[in-house]
Structures are given as structure tokens and as C-alpha cells.
Amino acid sequence: TRFEMNCAHRLVGCYPSDIAHEPCCSNGSESEDYILQQDNTTPDENNGDLCTRLWSCFAKPCLPCFPFCNNSYGCHFQFCGLCAMAQEAREANLTLPRHLRMVDYITMEPFLLYYPRIVELRRSATNSFWEHCGAISGLSKLLLVSFKVILVALLIISLSNVVGYWELADMVVLLTTFLQSFVVMYCVHWGWHRYDLSIDAVIKYFACGFVLCTCMAFTVEALEYLTFQSVVIGLVWWLEVREVEDNGYGGGGDGSMTTDDVGHGRSLAAGDDILKGFLNRQPAAKIFYILVSSYLMAGLVEEVCKYFGFVMVDHPDFCSERELEKAKATMPLQLLRDREEDDDDGSAVTGENGDGPNNQKNEAEAPSANVEQAPVAIDATLASFNPAMQRRSLSSIRSGVTVAMVAVALGFACCENILHIFIYNRSSVRSEITTLIVKSLFPVHPIAAAIQSIYVCRRDLEKDPSIGLGRIVLPSVIFHGTYDFALMIITSSWQRSHKEQYFYRGNTSSVAIA
């Protein structure tokens, strides 16, 4: 049902057990093996292989004494529902036609329940910003409400001093960081391309870049860095190197230092000590390390993640006229199914023996039999919607693709700026503001996304068969990597020439933002 789908798609939720069984309190004991009992086999310690026996403890429903819907007791706790949603999307692409997959995941709202209003505003060339903001989907409303709740919670924390290191000045810097991204997005989208891409699409693409792309990129970069450090530490231990004879940052130490000089030497058990000590003695190795970090660890990973962030979002702005026609033709059936599922949320609907498959089969057959007998009233806006209004010039579609990819990049850049300001360079408000200003002067992520959009349009709109993923991301990787390489070289040179101030005076003006 819709309730179960929403539970399964949340970050943390619970999914009622699909198998109806007696509560544990009715007979005083719980079934010994939840997996094996589905095969009508007698639970026995010799049944099933080792993996099955180990997994059975996780497959058993939690809270078996509490009743849920479908006459079942117990539920399965769902963590990180985005993973399940991604798997559902892959399976849906293989089994369902395109027009039946035109829904917003998480809210499961069909495109045509909100898109006709967007097309109407575009066709009438409405210039009211707030009218366009009112024509957004339920998913966009959910994203905006979540954003407001988080900001209010952080504001309350900053005013109450519950967290010592989060003050009102930090809250102002955070709001300024968001405002910088919003202003750029407003100028790019509303200033020149308000009719090429809807505000609803901008919200979704920005949120995808802020949440999904950032998580993917930083996870991959962390794995790459940990792998590199593990290799370095392994080589050091294999070469039986235990201690350096300086302060680990290139400063001269006592040449007569031995392992007995407690407090003067530094153990090489820490990967940062090994890396910094070695790179500061070997300038060529340091340049090579910065080169690899800029182009591979940062440029390649981040640009690929931003590209897939654009691909992940499915929006009706880029649907074809034929797809919208098929979706409109099947809307009565979809609305009928949704109405029946909503009615089933509070009732128990099972098969003859209470098993899930029979229940699903009956639900699937019911709408097809009752569509003509119980037609569903369609909203007037949807009824008057003409898919032919989706026709746009090729230039408008190109502009929409560019704005969408820039929105993903701005969401990614906004989250990255927050991490750099409040984690990597957090020392004072002055340092936070300096970092924000420098990042604002060089919008590398939006520019790289615009470069990618050129090749995406050549592949998807001009049908150029020679354009693949490599040709799409390579120019942006070179641009992004060159920017990071120059910035890291400048930062490294500045730190080396001011190492005493940098390491011993608190690093209050660092702008290391590679």
C-alpha cells in the first residue's frame, strides 16, 4: 500500500511483515526460523546452509507481539531506504513501460498530478515568481519543509548555546553560504531561463547535488585516501622505518636524535606524519601527489558524481510528448489503484490462506475489472492538459539541460562549502568568511557542469554516437583538476613559507580549500 511504500522509502522506517502469522504472545513462543517456515519445512537446526541460518535472525520481524496491517504481527525496520529505492528503480526500468514509471519516488506522486500546472504557467508566460513556486510537486514541498525545519533547529541551538562551538555568528555564516548559492541559481534560472526549466525541477536537482552527489563523492574520496594511506603505511612498516629526525613538517631536527630521546622524535605509526614528513623532503613527490589528488581524487570523482546526479533525477520537463500522452491515458487506472490502496491502509486484505502473493494478485486484478464501473474523477487541470504543449524548441531544451546540471553543481558546491567552512577551515569567523568569499569568486563547479551539458546535449539531442561518458566528463575533469592543482600548489607554497605562523599561531587565516 501507499503507507508501506512511504515507510520503506524513508531514511529510517518500518515495513509491516508480508507474512501473516500468529503473535508470539498467543502461544508463548515465536517461530524458530522465519525463513525456513516460508518453505513449509520443519524448523530444524540441520535445515538450510550456514548463510541461511545466520541470516534468519535478521529476517525475523521485530516487535512480534504488536499487530500491524495485513493481519500480521511484527515489522521489519528499514534503514537507508534510498538503497531500496534505487533497487526498485532498476527493477522498474526492466519490467514497466516508461509511462508507468513517471512518478516521483519517495512521495510516489505521478508527474501529471502537478505538471499540467507548470506547463500552463510556461505557455502563458507568467512572470510571477510566487505563482511558479506554487506549482511544485509534493516532493519539492517536502524538501523545502525539511530544509526549513533543519534551519530552525540550528537557529534554536545557536541562540540557546546548547552546543558550545555553534554560535549565532556561525548560523549567520551558514545562512550566507546558502544565500550565495541561491542568488547564483536565481540569476542563472530566473534571470534568463525561467521558461526552459521549472522551479520544481530546480529544487529537485539542487537537492540531489546537495545530498546524494556530495555523499557519493566524499565517500569515494575517503576510500581512495584511506587506500593510499594504507599503502604508504604498509611500505613504511615493510622497510622497517620507525622514526623521523625532524618535526614531521620539513623543519630541521636534532641530527643526533635517537629513539631514547623521548618527546623529540615522532613515531611513524600515523599516516599523516609519514605523508607530510616525506612530501616536505621530496618536492617532486609532493607535486606528483598534488597532481594525483587534484585530477583523480577530486576532479574525476566529483565530476562523475555530479553527472550521475543529473541522470538520477527524472523530471517531466524532459519527457516527450508521446510519453505524456500515454501517461495521461493511464491516469484513471493509476488514480483508481491509489484510491484502493489508500482504503486498504487501515484494513486487512489478504488471500484465502493469508499469504502475500494472493493478496497482491487480487489487488492487481481489481482495478482492471472496475475501471469502467467506477471511473475516477480527473482534475480539471489534468483533463484540459494537452501533451502537445510539451513541444519546445531545441534551444529551450538545451538551456533546460544546462540549468539542471548547473543546479546539481550548485547544490554540490553549497554542501562542499559548508564542509570546508565549518570542518576543514574552522578556526574563527574571519577564517570562515574568507573561505566563503574565495569559494564564491571561483565557481568552478557550475562552470564544469555547464561544460558537461554541452556534450550531454550533443549525445541526447543531436544523437551523436561518438559521445560517451568519457567525452562528457573529461573536459570538466581537466578544468576542475587544473583549478584544484593551482590552488593546492599556492596553498602549499604559502604554508611552507609561513610554517611557523601556520603551525604555531593557530592558523587563523588559512584558505586551504582545494
Side-chain angles (χ1 to χ4, degrees):
T1 64
R2 181 179 296 275
F3 169 77
E4 294 170 342
M5 294 290 288
N6 290 335
C7 289
H9 290 164
R10 291 171 182 162
L11 184 62
V12 178
C14 60
Y15 189 90
S17 174
D18 292 328
I19 306 300
H21 59 281
E22 295 296 329
C24 62
C25 51
S26 62
N27 53 15
S29 62
E30 184 183 355
S31 300
E32 296 182 10
D33 196 311
Y34 184 69
I35 289 182
L36 295 180
Q37 70 177 354
Q38 311 312 321
D39 298 330
N40 297 323
T41 58
T42 303
D44 183 30
E45 61 181 4
N46 295 324
N47 288 338
D49 55 14
L50 178 61
C51 295
T52 302
R53 303 298 302 179
L54 292 176
W55 180 249
S56 62
C57 60
F58 297 101
K60 293 178 182 178
C62 303
L63 304 176
C65 291
F66 290 88
F68 289 85
C69 57
N70 294 340
N71 282 341
S72 64
Y73 284 80
C75 67
H76 298 279
F77 284 111
Q78 177 71 43
F79 295 96
C80 193
L82 294 176
C83 299
M85 184 175 63
Q87 181 61 34
E88 289 175 4
R90 287 190 290 268
E91 294 296 329
N93 290 338
L94 297 175
T95 57
L96 295 177
R98 166 64 178 156
H99 62 277
L100 294 181
R101 291 184 278 112
M102 295 171 60
V103 297
D104 284 335
Y105 283 96
I106 300 179
T107 60
M108 308 306 294
E109 180 182 14
F111 288 170
L112 291 186
L113 290 186
Y114 62 88
Y115 189 60
R117 176 59 177 162
I118 296 175
V119 175
E120 180 181 348
L121 293 174
R122 179 183 297 151
R123 185 174 181 82
S124 60
T126 303
N127 291 322
S128 174
F129 177 77
W130 298 111
E131 286 193 36
H132 283 267
C133 290
I136 60 176
S137 63
L139 177 58
S140 295
K141 294 177 182 177
L142 177 63
L143 293 172
L144 293 177
V145 171
S146 302
F147 175 70
K148 294 176 183 178
V149 170
I150 294 174
L151 286 185
V152 171
L154 291 176
L155 179 61
I156 294 175
I157 293 174
S158 65
L159 293 175
S160 59
N161 293 326
V162 176
V163 180
Y165 58 83
W166 185 257
E167 302 175 352
L168 185 59
D170 297 317
M171 186 66 194
V172 173
V173 175
L174 176 64
L175 293 177
T176 306
T177 305
F178 279 111
L179 182 61
Q180 180 262 341
S181 298
F182 294 161
V183 168
V184 175
M185 192 70 256
Y186 179 86
C187 294
V188 172
H189 172 255
W190 192 254
W192 292 283
H193 304 289
R194 67 184 69 176
Y195 303 122
D196 299 324
L197 191 72
S198 62
I199 290 181
D200 178 75
V202 171
I203 295 173
K204 293 174 181 176
Y205 281 110
F206 186 92
C208 180
F210 187 88
V211 179
L212 300 181
C213 296
T214 307
C215 293
M216 288 191 301
F218 280 85
T219 300
V220 174
E221 289 176 357
L223 291 175
E224 288 181 343
Y225 182 73
L226 291 175
T227 301
F228 180 80
Q229 269 201 339
S230 301
V231 172
V232 173
I233 295 174
L235 289 175
V236 169
W237 279 97
W238 181 62
L239 296 174
E240 298 183 353
V241 179
R242 290 293 181 271
E243 199 164 350
V244 296
E245 295 185 0
D246 58 19
N247 59 9
Y249 300 105
D254 185 1
S256 60
M257 179 177 57
T258 64
T259 56
D260 296 331
D261 296 328
V262 179
H264 297 283
R266 284 157 57 95
S267 172
L268 289 186
D272 288 340
D273 294 341
I274 299 170
L275 199 56
K276 291 177 180 178
F278 174 75
L279 294 180
N280 281 293
R281 292 188 194 86
Q282 305 292 335
K286 186 169 187 177
I287 293 176
F288 177 77
Y289 170 74
I290 293 177
L291 191 70
V292 173
S293 299
S294 302
Y295 287 93
L296 296 182
M297 291 188 180
L300 178 61
V301 172
E302 294 177 6
E303 293 306 316
V304 170
C305 288
K306 287 188 296 182
Y307 166 78
F308 282 110
F310 166 74
V311 174
M312 281 189 291
V313 179
D314 188 11
H315 196 271
D317 277 342
F318 299 114
C319 292
S320 66
E321 178 183 348
R322 183 177 181 182
E323 291 171 344
L324 292 177
E325 288 177 352
K326 291 184 178 180
K328 183 180 179 180
T330 57
M331 276 304 297
L333 175 61
Q334 296 184 46
L335 294 176
L336 179 62
R337 290 177 62 91
D338 290 343
R339 186 178 65 181
E340 291 185 350
E341 289 175 354
D342 291 338
D343 294 338
D344 292 342
D345 280 340
S347 61
V349 181
T350 57
E352 181 179 356
N353 298 325
D355 50 350
N358 289 336
N359 179 29
Q360 296 175 358
K361 182 178 179 181
N362 293 335
E363 290 181 354
E365 294 175 351
S368 61
N370 298 329
V371 170
E372 297 182 356
Q373 300 178 5
V376 178
I378 299 179
D379 183 77
T381 305
L382 175 58
S384 61
F385 171 66
N386 184 7
M389 294 189 297
Q390 181 72 350
R391 297 174 186 171
R392 291 186 290 165
S393 65
L394 209 58
S395 176
S396 176
I397 299 176
R398 285 196 188 100
S399 299
V401 171
T402 302
V403 174
M405 300 192 74
V406 169
V408 174
L410 282 172
F412 182 92
C414 183
C415 186
E416 186 185 54
N417 291 346
I418 293 174
L419 294 176
H420 282 300
I421 291 171
F422 295 103
I423 297 179
Y424 300 147
N425 293 283
R426 182 180 179 85
S427 56
S428 65
V429 176
R430 178 184 175 185
S431 174
E432 295 172 357
I433 296 176
T434 303
T435 303
L436 177 60
I437 293 175
V438 174
K439 295 286 285 185
S440 302
L441 294 176
F442 300 98
V444 60
H445 289 292
I447 297 176
I451 296 174
Q452 284 191 25
S453 68
I454 298 174
Y455 294 89
V456 171
C457 292
R458 286 181 57 185
R459 182 194 64 184
D460 296 340
L461 301 181
E462 300 177 11
K463 305 300 181 182
D464 188 345
S466 64
I467 302 296
L469 177 60
R471 291 192 63 182
I472 291 175
V473 301
L474 181 59
S476 59
V477 169
I478 295 175
F479 172 77
H480 190 172
T482 303
Y483 168 83
D484 282 353
F485 179 77
L487 193 60
M488 293 176 72
I489 287 291
I490 295 172
T491 303
S492 177
S493 302
W494 183 88
Q495 291 178 359
R496 193 172 185 87
S497 61
H498 298 79
K499 60 175 179 283
E500 292 185 0
Q501 177 184 0
Y502 184 81
F503 292 113
Y504 302 115
R505 296 184 184 178
N507 184 22
T508 59
S509 60
S510 169
V511 291
I513 53 175

